[in-house]
Amino acid sequence: MKIENLIEGAPQLIIKKNEPLSLYTYTKTGGPADILVFPKTIEEVQQVLLWSNENDEPLTVLGNASNLIVKDGGIRGVTMILTEMNAIQVEGNNITAQSGAKLIDTTYVALDHSLEGMAFACGIPGSIGGAVYMNAGAYGGEISEVLASAILLTKAGEIIEVSNEELAFSYRMSSIQSSGAIVLSATFALKHGMKPLIEERMKELTELREAKQPLEYPSCGSVFKRPPGYFTGKLIQDAHLQGHMIGGAQVSMKHAGFIVNINQATATDYIDLIQHIQAVILAEFDVVLETEVKIIGED
């Protein structure tokens, strides 16, 4: 890889070689990235994309690596983490956040300005880009319900603005997943509300999350999508899989929909446990569990 050309094109870009992605993923697992970059500006993101295109190098974009499993072989080519792009701005009832901003932080900015509509997301540990990419949701709310528009960088390197409708949202899906575009920022249309009421709702949801989710261990968040007509956690409990371990990965004793890293688990441990759960649930209940977590990289 002619990495020198990339450095010349973006001299301020943070670049690391053969960097273990386990240092950045929420599961604390994952092999090395050949090249790991942390752009701070839209221009740097664009430069990395164009360099990847010109050099025929694969480009993988991560938000903050929360709802993600990177395989133990790591990721070839260039991996981009966008956490340095984290500005959040408020204009009237609208909030615009860059893709690397934390979704949780954005909900608290909304609270500070007495804006309601995003309280449901106060405990989702993803980035804005990842939340738009997968139409993140919790406690009856989804990003699609509050997103007005997004700025994207297309695979060809063009910066475009798209509307909510153009993103074709559905359950944990958006058109970005098939287009390969990169989310640069998102604008949310909220409503003016009563700050004490918004704060009370966020406190209630935070307490609920802390009581039910295994936040004391590394995890990738909710592992499976909810199958129509069922609750994933109950299916796993009914199959007597709660507490089941492969290597250092365990089906959480606190919430069966989570897999936690309790003893130096590898990504392979996680993937083997996911596949075991899927096989057991299919055999016992004839229900297909689809993963919500994204699994990427090489074995």
Side-chain angles (χ1 to χ4, degrees):
M1 273 184 259
K2 301 175 183 177
I3 188 66
E4 294 78 13
N5 295 343
L6 176 56
I7 295 170
E8 288 175 10
Q12 303 302 314
L13 181 67
I14 300 170
I15 301 175
K16 299 185 178 185
K17 296 181 181 179
N18 297 315
E19 182 79 351
L21 289 166
S22 58
L23 298 175
Y24 305 93
T25 61
Y26 273 49
T27 60
K28 303 302 180 187
T29 66
D34 287 346
I35 297 176
L36 181 62
V37 299
F38 296 84
K40 293 183 177 180
T41 66
I42 289 174
E43 291 73 23
E44 286 184 341
V45 176
Q46 195 170 30
Q47 187 67 37
V48 172
L49 174 72
L50 294 174
W51 182 87
S52 299
N53 289 347
E54 290 167 3
N55 291 273
D56 197 27
E57 289 290 345
L59 173 63
T60 302
V61 182
L62 311 183
N64 65 352
S66 55
N67 198 216
L68 180 74
I69 294 171
V70 177
K71 294 181 180 180
D72 294 319
I75 301 177
R76 305 289 72 81
V78 181
T79 302
M80 179 159 35
I81 291 181
L82 295 171
T83 48
E84 294 292 321
M85 292 178 55
N86 54 21
I88 304 170
Q89 296 180 324
V90 180
E91 186 173 341
N93 289 348
N94 291 346
I95 291 183
T96 298
Q98 289 186 309
S99 58
K102 293 180 181 178
L103 184 54
I104 291 173
D105 290 349
T106 308
T107 68
Y108 279 94
V109 171
L111 171 64
D112 289 342
H113 290 79
S114 301
L115 296 175
E116 65 177 24
M118 294 193 76
F120 73 89
C122 68
I124 299 176
S127 66
I128 289 294
V132 174
Y133 177 90
M134 67 172 294
N135 189 21
Y139 301 114
E142 289 184 328
I143 288 296
S144 59
E145 297 168 0
V146 290
L147 185 107
S149 62
I151 304 295
L152 308 180
L153 180 64
T154 69
K155 289 179 72 173
E158 181 185 3
I159 296 173
I160 61 172
E161 182 173 6
V162 295
S163 66
N164 182 307
E165 293 74 20
E166 289 173 294
L167 289 169
F169 286 117
S170 59
Y171 178 64
R172 302 297 176 264
M173 292 288 294
S174 74
S175 60
I176 301 168
Q177 295 181 29
S178 57
S179 73
I182 300 170
V183 179
L184 298 175
S185 66
T187 297
F188 303 95
L190 307 177
K191 297 178 181 178
H192 186 76
M194 300 288 289
K195 186 174 180 178
L197 296 180
I198 301 169
E199 190 169 26
E200 182 61 30
R201 177 60 174 160
M202 290 173 67
K203 181 182 177 183
E204 175 188 336
L205 293 180
T206 298
E207 290 175 352
L208 190 62
R209 177 172 175 263
E210 289 175 349
K212 290 191 173 184
Q213 296 183 15
L215 305 181
E216 64 273 24
Y217 291 109
S219 83
C220 55
S222 182
V223 177
F224 301 103
K225 296 178 182 179
R226 179 181 170 184
Y230 297 90
F231 290 100
T232 305
K234 188 174 187 310
L235 284 172
I236 294 171
Q237 286 176 330
D238 291 348
H240 305 292
L241 289 172
Q242 193 160 21
H244 188 80
M245 289 182 64
I246 292 182
Q250 181 191 56
V251 178
S252 169
M253 294 299 295
K254 197 170 186 180
H255 189 312
F258 286 68
I259 295 176
V260 291
N261 182 350
I262 66 167
N263 186 21
Q264 299 180 325
T266 64
T268 301
D269 294 340
Y270 262 87
I271 293 166
D272 288 348
L273 186 51
I274 287 169
Q275 292 174 345
H276 177 70
I277 293 167
Q278 289 173 317
V280 171
I281 298 303
L282 180 62
E284 292 201 15
F285 305 111
D286 197 28
V287 174
V288 175
L289 286 184
E290 295 182 19
T291 52
E292 180 173 313
V293 62
K294 300 298 180 185
I295 301 172
I296 61 173
E298 298 189 357
D299 293 321

